[in-house]
Amino acid sequence: MFENQAEPSFRDSVNLMFDQAADLMDIPKGLREKIKVCNSTYTVRFGVKLRGEIHTFTGYRSVHSEHMEPVKGGIRYADNVHQDEVEALAALMTFKCSLVEVPFGGSKGGLRIDPRAWDEDELERITRRFAYELIKRDLIHPSQNVPAPDMGTGEREMAWMADQYARMNTTDIDARACVTGKPRNAGGIAGRVEATGRGVQYALREFFRHKEDVAAANLSGGLGGKRIIVQGLGNVGYHAAKFLQEEDGCRIIGIIERDGGIYSDDGLPVEEVREHLVTNGGVHGFPGAAYDPNGAVLLEQECDILVPAALEGVINLNNAANVKAPLIIEAANGPITAGADRVLRDRGTVIIPDLYANAGGVTVSYFEWVKNLSHIRFGRMGRRWEEARHGLLIDGLEQMTGKQFPENLKTLFLHGPGEVDLVRSGLDDTMRTAYQSMREVWHGKEVVKDLRTAAYIVSIERVADTYRSKGL
Ligand code: NAD
């Protein structure tokens, strides 16, 4: 539940955002309701004998929409996971997949556990048992339901789940496609670990390509030099901050973690802060930065771009009026409540919404699933052929002109695309195309005042089309 009792729950917040968009659309009442509701939520309680006694764990897997299958969505490990949250996240997955044209329905899972309270062997036993319960009911299945990592889970957990599925389905040749976000040696794909953060970077690059949109946020110029505050230096926040700093010349002036926030107007070295966090379990004590144990105050600090990348509901009715960033990109799912969204919109803050901003993860998960089903690494067949053709072109040019092709360009031009190059290209294309579909609605319809409503309109229309073509 969100802190402020005046606010709706996370799931109600997503429903309100859905309604806001659906009210502007010409869509029959029955179809609208069908698209909005969460189809099912499975709750499981299972016991695992650990440290000499049986511990009971509670897990969820929600399926929001099966208009396309498999359904897709991460599995979160956190000690406050609950049904409302999992259903909200499953709904977001439906609209996210639709917006970025990934052919999946929406799902999400959660296990109520503090992963830091258990050692690796214990976590493996708990994860395998949870996976067993889901696999038994086809809630992990290559053609039905394909989980991925989320908060508190990563490659390691996905590898255990994939192996558990393979053990229970020994003749399924597509077993590896039952989960994504696996390590490379277990059928993963290059570029998946950092995909969500990379997607946030590509989303911001695309936003800054449109002067009109930049001006709408009361900003000017390009992405380079922009002052950024990030909340959560986990998978998503760390990669986004790292790439924006190292490749786009942004200045990361604030980082908020569980134990507080650190700030430096000169910019914080992301890689070093991350090392400090991993070693010390927090950001406290990072040299050369001001520290405040109440990290949330940094959400209200002046900056150009705010990147909430930790958890939901952090910008709410209690603090929305104090948030000064003119541009917020929702790297996390649901970091802004429906109430705060209204306050910020009224003030003219531009919000790049979660269902677009963090879609990089599911996009590359889709590539991984396709790779698993095709049983071949992307680029394996064509890479050297392409390099040979480029070599021929250079030879021809050199022969015709009698001049040497510039050495620095030669190396770049001769490089045939490997898997990671193709993954990045596919992700970049996806983020650009989806942004353009949103902004067309944003600028094209007088009644649409913000990117979130535009994103929902694009998504809902596509889901509705799928239902219509099924004859529902
Ligand atoms: P993660 O567990 O890797 O990282 C979360 C980080 O946030 C951790 O460093 C944690 O210490 C920090 N954190 C937790 N509570 C905090 C608090 N109260 N204040 C400040 N920091 C806090 O998780 P992640 O995978 O990076 O996911 C983060 C968000 O991004 C979630 O909302 C998740 O649903 C969303 N998301 C993740 C992916 C993905 O591929 N991992 C994809 C799409 C969306």
Side-chain angles (χ1 to χ4, degrees), residues 10 74 76-77 85 89 93 96 108 115-116 148-154 192-197 230-239 255-260 274 277 281 295-296 308-312 314 330-335 354 357-362 365:
F10 185 14
R76 169 176 289 199
Y77 281 8
E85 176 186 30
L89 291 164
M93 283 308 297
K96 192 179 302 185
K108 201 83 184 189
R116 292 167 305 173
D150 193 72
M151 237 166 83
T153 56
R192 173 61 184 90
V193 175
E194 67 271 30
T196 310
V230 182
Q231 183 188 41
L233 209 62
N235 178 306
V236 179
Y238 160 65
H239 287 110
I255 293 176
I256 310 165
E257 257 295 328
R258 282 177 206 268
D259 68 319
R274 169 77 177 186
L277 174 66
L311 64 171
E312 57 265 17
V314 292
E330 293 184 311
N333 282 310
D354 46 8
N358 65 38
V362 74
S365 273

Short mmCIF file of all heavy atoms in Angstrom, two decimals, residues 10 74 76-77 85 89 93 96 108 115-116 148-154 192-197 230-239 255-260 274 277 281 295-296 308-312 314 330-335 354 357-362 365, ligand 1:
data_model
loop_
_atom_site.label_atom_id
_atom_site.label_comp_id
_atom_site.label_asym_id
_atom_site.label_seq_id
_atom_site.Cartn_x
_atom_site.Cartn_y
_atom_site.Cartn_z
N PHE A 10 -1.64 0.71 -5.45
CA PHE A 10 -0.86 0.68 -6.70
C PHE A 10 -1.74 0.20 -7.85
O PHE A 10 -1.80 0.79 -8.92
CB PHE A 10 0.35 -0.25 -6.48
CG PHE A 10 1.35 -0.32 -7.62
CD1 PHE A 10 1.36 0.61 -8.66
CD2 PHE A 10 2.32 -1.32 -7.62
CE1 PHE A 10 2.30 0.53 -9.69
CE2 PHE A 10 3.26 -1.41 -8.64
CZ PHE A 10 3.24 -0.49 -9.68
N GLY A 74 8.26 -10.20 -14.99
CA GLY A 74 9.30 -10.60 -14.04
C GLY A 74 8.76 -11.24 -12.78
O GLY A 74 7.56 -11.22 -12.49
N ARG A 76 9.51 -10.95 -8.72
CA ARG A 76 10.13 -10.06 -7.75
C ARG A 76 10.30 -10.77 -6.42
O ARG A 76 9.40 -11.50 -5.99
CB ARG A 76 9.20 -8.85 -7.61
CG ARG A 76 9.48 -7.91 -6.50
CD ARG A 76 8.53 -6.74 -6.55
NE ARG A 76 8.82 -5.85 -7.67
CZ ARG A 76 8.41 -4.59 -7.76
NH1 ARG A 76 7.66 -4.08 -6.81
NH2 ARG A 76 8.72 -3.84 -8.79
N TYR A 77 11.45 -10.59 -5.78
CA TYR A 77 11.65 -11.09 -4.42
C TYR A 77 11.72 -9.88 -3.49
O TYR A 77 12.65 -9.07 -3.59
CB TYR A 77 12.97 -11.88 -4.30
CG TYR A 77 12.96 -13.30 -4.83
CD1 TYR A 77 11.87 -13.80 -5.54
CD2 TYR A 77 14.05 -14.15 -4.61
CE1 TYR A 77 11.87 -15.11 -6.02
CE2 TYR A 77 14.05 -15.46 -5.09
CZ TYR A 77 12.96 -15.93 -5.80
OH TYR A 77 12.97 -17.21 -6.27
N GLU A 85 0.04 -5.46 -5.54
CA GLU A 85 1.23 -4.99 -6.25
C GLU A 85 1.51 -5.85 -7.48
O GLU A 85 1.78 -5.34 -8.58
CB GLU A 85 2.41 -5.08 -5.27
CG GLU A 85 3.76 -4.72 -5.85
CD GLU A 85 4.90 -4.99 -4.85
OE1 GLU A 85 4.77 -5.90 -4.00
OE2 GLU A 85 5.91 -4.29 -4.92
N LEU A 89 1.54 -4.69 -11.39
CA LEU A 89 2.72 -4.88 -12.24
C LEU A 89 2.37 -5.73 -13.47
O LEU A 89 2.89 -5.50 -14.57
CB LEU A 89 3.84 -5.53 -11.43
CG LEU A 89 4.46 -4.63 -10.34
CD1 LEU A 89 5.26 -5.44 -9.34
CD2 LEU A 89 5.35 -3.56 -10.97
N MET A 93 2.62 -4.75 -17.46
CA MET A 93 3.30 -5.59 -18.47
C MET A 93 2.47 -5.71 -19.75
O MET A 93 3.01 -5.69 -20.85
CB MET A 93 3.59 -6.99 -17.91
CG MET A 93 4.75 -7.07 -16.97
SD MET A 93 6.29 -6.38 -17.58
CE MET A 93 6.63 -7.42 -18.99
N LYS A 96 2.83 -2.40 -21.52
CA LYS A 96 4.22 -2.21 -21.94
C LYS A 96 4.51 -3.03 -23.20
O LYS A 96 5.05 -2.52 -24.18
CB LYS A 96 5.11 -2.67 -20.78
CG LYS A 96 6.56 -2.32 -20.90
CD LYS A 96 7.33 -2.81 -19.68
CE LYS A 96 6.78 -2.24 -18.39
NZ LYS A 96 7.59 -2.60 -17.21
N LYS A 108 2.98 -11.16 -14.04
CA LYS A 108 4.02 -10.77 -13.07
C LYS A 108 3.97 -11.74 -11.91
O LYS A 108 2.93 -12.33 -11.63
CB LYS A 108 3.75 -9.35 -12.56
CG LYS A 108 4.99 -8.68 -11.97
CD LYS A 108 5.86 -8.05 -13.05
CE LYS A 108 7.12 -7.47 -12.48
NZ LYS A 108 7.84 -6.67 -13.50
N PRO A 115 15.54 -11.54 0.28
CA PRO A 115 16.59 -12.43 -0.24
C PRO A 115 17.90 -12.29 0.52
O PRO A 115 18.72 -13.22 0.54
CB PRO A 115 16.74 -11.99 -1.71
CG PRO A 115 15.99 -10.72 -1.88
CD PRO A 115 15.05 -10.58 -0.73
N ARG A 116 18.10 -11.15 1.19
CA ARG A 116 19.36 -10.96 1.91
C ARG A 116 19.41 -11.75 3.21
O ARG A 116 20.46 -11.87 3.85
CB ARG A 116 19.57 -9.47 2.20
CG ARG A 116 19.84 -8.66 0.92
CD ARG A 116 19.72 -7.18 1.16
NE ARG A 116 18.42 -6.85 1.74
CZ ARG A 116 18.07 -5.66 2.19
NH1 ARG A 116 18.93 -4.68 2.15
NH2 ARG A 116 16.86 -5.44 2.67
N ALA A 148 10.87 -13.45 -15.94
CA ALA A 148 12.16 -12.77 -16.14
C ALA A 148 12.57 -12.20 -14.78
O ALA A 148 11.80 -12.26 -13.82
CB ALA A 148 11.97 -11.64 -17.16
N PRO A 149 13.76 -11.60 -14.68
CA PRO A 149 14.15 -11.02 -13.39
C PRO A 149 13.38 -9.73 -13.10
O PRO A 149 12.89 -9.06 -14.01
CB PRO A 149 15.64 -10.69 -13.58
CG PRO A 149 16.06 -11.28 -14.87
CD PRO A 149 14.83 -11.50 -15.68
N ASP A 150 13.29 -9.40 -11.84
CA ASP A 150 12.77 -8.10 -11.40
C ASP A 150 13.51 -7.78 -10.10
O ASP A 150 14.55 -8.39 -9.82
CB ASP A 150 11.24 -8.17 -11.20
CG ASP A 150 10.61 -6.78 -11.07
OD1 ASP A 150 10.54 -6.06 -12.07
OD2 ASP A 150 10.21 -6.39 -9.96
N MET A 151 12.96 -6.89 -9.31
CA MET A 151 13.62 -6.50 -8.06
C MET A 151 13.98 -7.73 -7.23
O MET A 151 13.12 -8.59 -7.00
CB MET A 151 12.66 -5.64 -7.26
CG MET A 151 13.20 -4.31 -6.91
SD MET A 151 11.85 -3.28 -6.35
CE MET A 151 11.74 -3.77 -4.67
N GLY A 152 15.22 -7.83 -6.82
CA GLY A 152 15.63 -8.91 -5.92
C GLY A 152 15.95 -10.22 -6.61
O GLY A 152 16.34 -11.19 -5.95
N THR A 153 15.77 -10.28 -7.93
CA THR A 153 16.16 -11.50 -8.67
C THR A 153 17.05 -11.10 -9.85
O THR A 153 17.06 -9.95 -10.26
CB THR A 153 14.94 -12.26 -9.23
OG1 THR A 153 14.19 -11.36 -10.06
CG2 THR A 153 14.05 -12.80 -8.13
N GLY A 154 17.78 -12.07 -10.36
CA GLY A 154 18.68 -11.79 -11.48
C GLY A 154 18.96 -13.08 -12.24
O GLY A 154 18.20 -14.05 -12.15
N ARG A 192 21.31 -8.57 -22.12
CA ARG A 192 20.06 -8.62 -21.34
C ARG A 192 20.20 -7.99 -19.96
O ARG A 192 19.32 -7.27 -19.51
CB ARG A 192 19.53 -10.06 -21.22
CG ARG A 192 18.32 -10.21 -20.29
CD ARG A 192 17.12 -9.42 -20.79
NE ARG A 192 15.96 -9.44 -19.89
CZ ARG A 192 15.72 -8.59 -18.91
NH1 ARG A 192 16.57 -7.61 -18.63
NH2 ARG A 192 14.62 -8.69 -18.18
N VAL A 193 21.36 -8.26 -19.30
CA VAL A 193 21.52 -7.78 -17.93
C VAL A 193 21.31 -6.26 -17.87
O VAL A 193 20.59 -5.74 -17.03
CB VAL A 193 22.93 -8.13 -17.38
CG1 VAL A 193 23.15 -7.52 -16.00
CG2 VAL A 193 23.11 -9.63 -17.30
N GLU A 194 21.90 -5.56 -18.82
CA GLU A 194 21.86 -4.09 -18.78
C GLU A 194 20.71 -3.50 -19.61
O GLU A 194 20.60 -2.28 -19.74
CB GLU A 194 23.20 -3.51 -19.27
CG GLU A 194 23.54 -3.73 -20.75
CD GLU A 194 24.28 -5.03 -21.03
OE1 GLU A 194 24.05 -6.02 -20.29
OE2 GLU A 194 25.05 -5.08 -22.00
N ALA A 195 19.85 -4.40 -20.17
CA ALA A 195 18.88 -3.94 -21.18
C ALA A 195 17.92 -2.86 -20.67
O ALA A 195 17.62 -1.91 -21.41
CB ALA A 195 18.07 -5.13 -21.69
N THR A 196 17.45 -2.97 -19.44
CA THR A 196 16.46 -1.99 -18.97
C THR A 196 17.13 -0.61 -18.81
O THR A 196 16.58 0.41 -19.25
CB THR A 196 15.79 -2.45 -17.67
OG1 THR A 196 15.34 -3.80 -17.86
CG2 THR A 196 14.60 -1.59 -17.31
N GLY A 197 18.33 -0.61 -18.23
CA GLY A 197 19.07 0.65 -18.10
C GLY A 197 19.43 1.22 -19.46
O GLY A 197 19.35 2.44 -19.69
N VAL A 230 19.36 9.99 -9.41
CA VAL A 230 18.86 8.63 -9.60
C VAL A 230 18.48 8.03 -8.25
O VAL A 230 19.23 8.15 -7.28
CB VAL A 230 19.96 7.72 -10.23
CG1 VAL A 230 19.44 6.32 -10.47
CG2 VAL A 230 20.48 8.31 -11.52
N GLN A 231 17.33 7.39 -8.19
CA GLN A 231 16.96 6.66 -6.98
C GLN A 231 17.06 5.16 -7.25
O GLN A 231 16.40 4.65 -8.15
CB GLN A 231 15.53 6.98 -6.55
CG GLN A 231 15.17 6.27 -5.25
CD GLN A 231 13.70 6.42 -4.89
OE1 GLN A 231 12.84 6.33 -5.75
NE2 GLN A 231 13.42 6.64 -3.63
N GLY A 232 17.91 4.47 -6.50
CA GLY A 232 18.08 3.02 -6.67
C GLY A 232 19.24 2.73 -7.61
O GLY A 232 19.15 2.99 -8.81
N LEU A 233 20.34 2.21 -7.02
CA LEU A 233 21.49 1.89 -7.87
C LEU A 233 21.59 0.37 -8.03
O LEU A 233 22.63 -0.24 -7.86
CB LEU A 233 22.77 2.48 -7.26
CG LEU A 233 23.87 2.84 -8.27
CD1 LEU A 233 23.42 3.93 -9.23
CD2 LEU A 233 25.14 3.29 -7.55
N GLY A 234 20.43 -0.23 -8.35
CA GLY A 234 20.39 -1.67 -8.61
C GLY A 234 20.57 -1.91 -10.09
O GLY A 234 21.17 -1.10 -10.80
N ASN A 235 20.01 -2.98 -10.57
CA ASN A 235 20.20 -3.32 -11.98
C ASN A 235 19.85 -2.16 -12.91
O ASN A 235 20.67 -1.71 -13.72
CB ASN A 235 19.37 -4.57 -12.33
CG ASN A 235 19.50 -4.95 -13.79
OD1 ASN A 235 19.27 -4.12 -14.66
ND2 ASN A 235 19.88 -6.17 -14.07
N VAL A 236 18.63 -1.66 -12.78
CA VAL A 236 18.15 -0.64 -13.73
C VAL A 236 18.86 0.71 -13.51
O VAL A 236 19.41 1.30 -14.45
CB VAL A 236 16.62 -0.47 -13.61
CG1 VAL A 236 16.12 0.59 -14.55
CG2 VAL A 236 15.92 -1.80 -13.88
N GLY A 237 18.86 1.17 -12.25
CA GLY A 237 19.41 2.49 -11.96
C GLY A 237 20.90 2.56 -12.22
O GLY A 237 21.39 3.56 -12.77
N TYR A 238 21.62 1.52 -11.85
CA TYR A 238 23.08 1.52 -12.05
C TYR A 238 23.43 1.60 -13.53
O TYR A 238 24.23 2.44 -13.95
CB TYR A 238 23.67 0.26 -11.40
CG TYR A 238 25.04 -0.12 -11.92
CD1 TYR A 238 26.14 0.71 -11.72
CD2 TYR A 238 25.23 -1.32 -12.62
CE1 TYR A 238 27.39 0.36 -12.20
CE2 TYR A 238 26.48 -1.67 -13.10
CZ TYR A 238 27.56 -0.83 -12.90
OH TYR A 238 28.79 -1.18 -13.39
N HIS A 239 22.81 0.73 -14.32
CA HIS A 239 23.16 0.74 -15.75
C HIS A 239 22.74 2.03 -16.43
O HIS A 239 23.50 2.60 -17.23
CB HIS A 239 22.57 -0.49 -16.46
CG HIS A 239 23.28 -1.76 -16.11
ND1 HIS A 239 22.71 -2.75 -15.35
CD2 HIS A 239 24.53 -2.18 -16.40
CE1 HIS A 239 23.58 -3.73 -15.19
NE2 HIS A 239 24.70 -3.42 -15.82
N ILE A 255 22.49 10.39 -5.80
CA ILE A 255 22.12 8.97 -5.83
C ILE A 255 21.43 8.64 -4.51
O ILE A 255 21.97 8.92 -3.43
CB ILE A 255 23.35 8.07 -6.06
CG1 ILE A 255 23.92 8.30 -7.48
CG2 ILE A 255 22.99 6.59 -5.85
CD1 ILE A 255 25.19 7.53 -7.80
N ILE A 256 20.24 8.06 -4.61
CA ILE A 256 19.47 7.70 -3.41
C ILE A 256 19.44 6.18 -3.29
O ILE A 256 19.13 5.49 -4.26
CB ILE A 256 18.01 8.21 -3.52
CG1 ILE A 256 18.00 9.70 -3.93
CG2 ILE A 256 17.25 7.98 -2.22
CD1 ILE A 256 16.64 10.19 -4.40
N GLU A 257 19.79 5.68 -2.11
CA GLU A 257 19.71 4.24 -1.87
C GLU A 257 18.92 3.99 -0.59
O GLU A 257 18.42 4.93 0.02
CB GLU A 257 21.11 3.62 -1.81
CG GLU A 257 21.50 2.86 -3.08
CD GLU A 257 20.63 1.62 -3.34
OE1 GLU A 257 20.17 1.00 -2.37
OE2 GLU A 257 20.40 1.27 -4.51
N ARG A 258 18.79 2.73 -0.20
CA ARG A 258 18.02 2.36 0.99
C ARG A 258 18.44 3.13 2.24
O ARG A 258 17.62 3.49 3.07
CB ARG A 258 18.24 0.88 1.32
CG ARG A 258 17.50 -0.08 0.48
CD ARG A 258 17.92 -1.48 0.92
NE ARG A 258 17.76 -2.44 -0.15
CZ ARG A 258 16.66 -3.15 -0.33
NH1 ARG A 258 15.65 -3.03 0.48
NH2 ARG A 258 16.60 -4.01 -1.34
N ASP A 259 19.76 3.34 2.39
CA ASP A 259 20.28 3.92 3.64
C ASP A 259 20.41 5.43 3.59
O ASP A 259 20.91 6.04 4.53
CB ASP A 259 21.64 3.30 3.97
CG ASP A 259 22.71 3.73 2.98
OD1 ASP A 259 22.40 3.78 1.75
OD2 ASP A 259 23.84 4.06 3.39
N GLY A 260 19.99 6.07 2.49
CA GLY A 260 20.09 7.52 2.41
C GLY A 260 20.52 7.97 1.02
O GLY A 260 20.56 7.17 0.09
N ARG A 274 28.84 2.48 -6.99
CA ARG A 274 28.29 1.12 -7.03
C ARG A 274 29.20 0.15 -6.26
O ARG A 274 28.73 -0.68 -5.48
CB ARG A 274 28.15 0.71 -8.51
CG ARG A 274 27.84 -0.72 -8.76
CD ARG A 274 26.39 -1.08 -8.50
NE ARG A 274 26.17 -2.49 -8.84
CZ ARG A 274 25.02 -3.09 -8.83
NH1 ARG A 274 23.94 -2.43 -8.50
NH2 ARG A 274 24.92 -4.35 -9.13
N LEU A 277 28.71 0.68 -2.67
CA LEU A 277 27.41 0.14 -2.26
C LEU A 277 27.49 -1.38 -2.07
O LEU A 277 27.00 -1.93 -1.08
CB LEU A 277 26.37 0.51 -3.33
CG LEU A 277 24.96 -0.05 -3.19
CD1 LEU A 277 24.26 0.51 -1.98
CD2 LEU A 277 24.13 0.28 -4.44
N GLY A 281 27.14 -2.10 1.62
CA GLY A 281 25.70 -2.28 1.79
C GLY A 281 24.92 -0.97 1.80
O GLY A 281 23.74 -0.95 2.15
N GLY A 295 17.15 9.85 2.38
CA GLY A 295 17.43 9.98 0.94
C GLY A 295 16.31 10.64 0.16
O GLY A 295 16.56 11.34 -0.83
N ALA A 296 15.07 10.45 0.63
CA ALA A 296 13.91 10.95 -0.12
C ALA A 296 13.97 12.46 -0.35
O ALA A 296 13.36 12.96 -1.31
CB ALA A 296 12.63 10.57 0.59
N PRO A 308 13.65 7.91 -10.97
CA PRO A 308 13.31 6.95 -9.93
C PRO A 308 13.45 5.53 -10.49
O PRO A 308 12.74 5.17 -11.43
CB PRO A 308 11.85 7.29 -9.58
CG PRO A 308 11.32 8.10 -10.71
CD PRO A 308 12.47 8.62 -11.51
N ALA A 309 14.38 4.75 -9.91
CA ALA A 309 14.67 3.42 -10.45
C ALA A 309 14.68 2.37 -9.35
O ALA A 309 15.43 1.40 -9.41
CB ALA A 309 16.02 3.44 -11.18
N ALA A 310 13.86 2.59 -8.30
CA ALA A 310 13.87 1.62 -7.20
C ALA A 310 12.52 0.93 -7.04
O ALA A 310 12.38 -0.24 -7.37
CB ALA A 310 14.27 2.32 -5.90
N LEU A 311 11.52 1.67 -6.57
CA LEU A 311 10.25 1.01 -6.27
C LEU A 311 9.06 1.95 -6.51
O LEU A 311 9.25 3.12 -6.84
CB LEU A 311 10.25 0.43 -4.86
CG LEU A 311 10.35 1.36 -3.66
CD1 LEU A 311 10.10 0.57 -2.39
CD2 LEU A 311 11.71 2.02 -3.55
N GLU A 312 7.86 1.41 -6.31
CA GLU A 312 6.65 2.19 -6.63
C GLU A 312 6.29 3.19 -5.53
O GLU A 312 6.70 3.04 -4.38
CB GLU A 312 5.46 1.25 -6.87
CG GLU A 312 5.14 0.33 -5.73
CD GLU A 312 5.79 -1.03 -5.89
OE1 GLU A 312 6.75 -1.16 -6.68
OE2 GLU A 312 5.36 -1.96 -5.20
N VAL A 314 7.01 6.24 -4.75
CA VAL A 314 7.96 7.12 -4.04
C VAL A 314 7.65 8.59 -4.26
O VAL A 314 8.01 9.44 -3.45
CB VAL A 314 9.43 6.82 -4.43
CG1 VAL A 314 9.84 5.45 -3.93
CG2 VAL A 314 9.65 6.94 -5.93
N GLU A 330 10.43 7.44 -15.61
CA GLU A 330 10.08 6.38 -14.66
C GLU A 330 10.80 5.08 -15.02
O GLU A 330 10.24 4.22 -15.69
CB GLU A 330 8.57 6.15 -14.67
CG GLU A 330 7.77 7.32 -14.14
CD GLU A 330 6.28 6.99 -14.08
OE1 GLU A 330 5.73 6.48 -15.07
OE2 GLU A 330 5.66 7.24 -13.04
N ALA A 331 12.02 4.94 -14.50
CA ALA A 331 12.78 3.72 -14.76
C ALA A 331 12.19 2.56 -13.95
O ALA A 331 12.20 1.42 -14.40
CB ALA A 331 14.24 3.95 -14.41
N ALA A 332 11.67 2.85 -12.76
CA ALA A 332 10.98 1.82 -11.97
C ALA A 332 9.55 1.71 -12.47
O ALA A 332 9.08 2.54 -13.24
CB ALA A 332 11.00 2.22 -10.50
N ASN A 333 8.85 0.69 -11.99
CA ASN A 333 7.42 0.56 -12.28
C ASN A 333 6.62 1.32 -11.23
O ASN A 333 6.84 1.10 -10.03
CB ASN A 333 7.03 -0.92 -12.26
CG ASN A 333 7.44 -1.62 -13.54
OD1 ASN A 333 7.15 -1.15 -14.65
ND2 ASN A 333 8.13 -2.75 -13.41
N GLY A 334 5.76 2.20 -11.67
CA GLY A 334 4.84 2.90 -10.77
C GLY A 334 5.46 3.80 -9.72
O GLY A 334 4.90 3.91 -8.63
N PRO A 335 6.57 4.49 -9.99
CA PRO A 335 7.15 5.33 -8.94
C PRO A 335 6.31 6.56 -8.62
O PRO A 335 6.45 7.14 -7.55
CB PRO A 335 8.51 5.74 -9.52
CG PRO A 335 8.34 5.66 -11.01
CD PRO A 335 7.38 4.52 -11.23
N ASP A 354 6.55 4.83 -17.13
CA ASP A 354 7.15 3.50 -16.92
C ASP A 354 6.89 2.52 -18.06
O ASP A 354 7.79 1.80 -18.48
CB ASP A 354 6.68 2.90 -15.58
CG ASP A 354 5.17 3.02 -15.34
OD1 ASP A 354 4.45 3.43 -16.26
OD2 ASP A 354 4.73 2.69 -14.21
N ALA A 357 9.36 3.73 -20.52
CA ALA A 357 10.74 3.99 -20.09
C ALA A 357 11.52 2.74 -19.71
O ALA A 357 12.72 2.65 -19.97
CB ALA A 357 10.73 4.97 -18.92
N ASN A 358 10.85 1.76 -19.07
CA ASN A 358 11.62 0.59 -18.65
C ASN A 358 11.32 -0.66 -19.50
O ASN A 358 11.55 -1.78 -19.07
CB ASN A 358 11.45 0.33 -17.14
CG ASN A 358 10.04 -0.05 -16.77
OD1 ASN A 358 9.36 -0.76 -17.50
ND2 ASN A 358 9.59 0.42 -15.62
N ALA A 359 10.85 -0.41 -20.73
CA ALA A 359 10.48 -1.53 -21.60
C ALA A 359 11.69 -2.21 -22.25
O ALA A 359 11.54 -3.21 -22.95
CB ALA A 359 9.51 -1.06 -22.68
N GLY A 360 12.89 -1.68 -22.00
CA GLY A 360 14.09 -2.29 -22.59
C GLY A 360 14.29 -3.72 -22.14
O GLY A 360 14.74 -4.58 -22.90
N GLY A 361 13.93 -3.99 -20.87
CA GLY A 361 14.11 -5.34 -20.34
C GLY A 361 13.27 -6.36 -21.07
O GLY A 361 13.77 -7.38 -21.55
N VAL A 362 11.98 -6.06 -21.21
CA VAL A 362 11.11 -7.05 -21.86
C VAL A 362 11.42 -7.13 -23.36
O VAL A 362 11.28 -8.19 -23.98
CB VAL A 362 9.62 -6.76 -21.59
CG1 VAL A 362 9.08 -5.58 -22.38
CG2 VAL A 362 8.78 -8.00 -21.91
N SER A 365 14.30 -9.40 -23.53
CA SER A 365 13.79 -10.71 -23.13
C SER A 365 13.11 -11.38 -24.33
O SER A 365 13.24 -12.59 -24.55
CB SER A 365 12.76 -10.59 -22.01
OG SER A 365 13.41 -10.59 -20.76
P1 NAD B 1 17.21 -4.25 -8.04
O1 NAD B 1 16.78 -5.08 -6.89
O2 NAD B 1 18.34 -4.69 -8.88
O3 NAD B 1 17.56 -2.75 -7.57
C1 NAD B 1 16.72 -1.97 -6.78
C2 NAD B 1 17.63 -0.97 -6.06
O4 NAD B 1 16.83 -0.05 -5.33
C3 NAD B 1 18.57 -1.64 -5.05
O5 NAD B 1 19.87 -1.12 -5.21
C4 NAD B 1 17.96 -1.28 -3.71
O6 NAD B 1 18.92 -1.20 -2.67
C5 NAD B 1 17.34 0.08 -4.02
N1 NAD B 1 16.25 0.41 -3.11
C6 NAD B 1 15.34 -0.40 -2.54
N2 NAD B 1 14.52 0.30 -1.75
C7 NAD B 1 14.91 1.58 -1.84
C8 NAD B 1 14.47 2.78 -1.25
N3 NAD B 1 13.43 2.80 -0.41
N4 NAD B 1 15.11 3.93 -1.56
C9 NAD B 1 16.15 3.92 -2.41
N5 NAD B 1 16.63 2.81 -2.98
C10 NAD B 1 16.02 1.66 -2.70
O7 NAD B 1 15.88 -4.04 -8.90
P2 NAD B 1 15.77 -3.62 -10.43
O8 NAD B 1 15.69 -4.86 -11.23
O9 NAD B 1 16.79 -2.59 -10.75
O10 NAD B 1 14.30 -2.99 -10.44
C11 NAD B 1 14.07 -1.63 -10.06
C12 NAD B 1 12.74 -1.19 -10.63
O11 NAD B 1 12.77 -1.33 -12.05
C13 NAD B 1 11.52 -1.98 -10.16
O12 NAD B 1 10.41 -1.11 -10.11
C14 NAD B 1 11.32 -2.99 -11.27
O13 NAD B 1 10.00 -3.46 -11.35
C15 NAD B 1 11.68 -2.13 -12.46
N6 NAD B 1 12.06 -2.90 -13.67
C16 NAD B 1 13.10 -3.77 -13.65
C17 NAD B 1 13.44 -4.45 -14.82
C18 NAD B 1 14.64 -5.37 -14.90
O14 NAD B 1 14.96 -5.82 -16.03
N7 NAD B 1 15.33 -5.67 -13.83
C19 NAD B 1 12.68 -4.26 -15.98
C20 NAD B 1 11.63 -3.36 -15.97
C21 NAD B 1 11.33 -2.68 -14.80
#
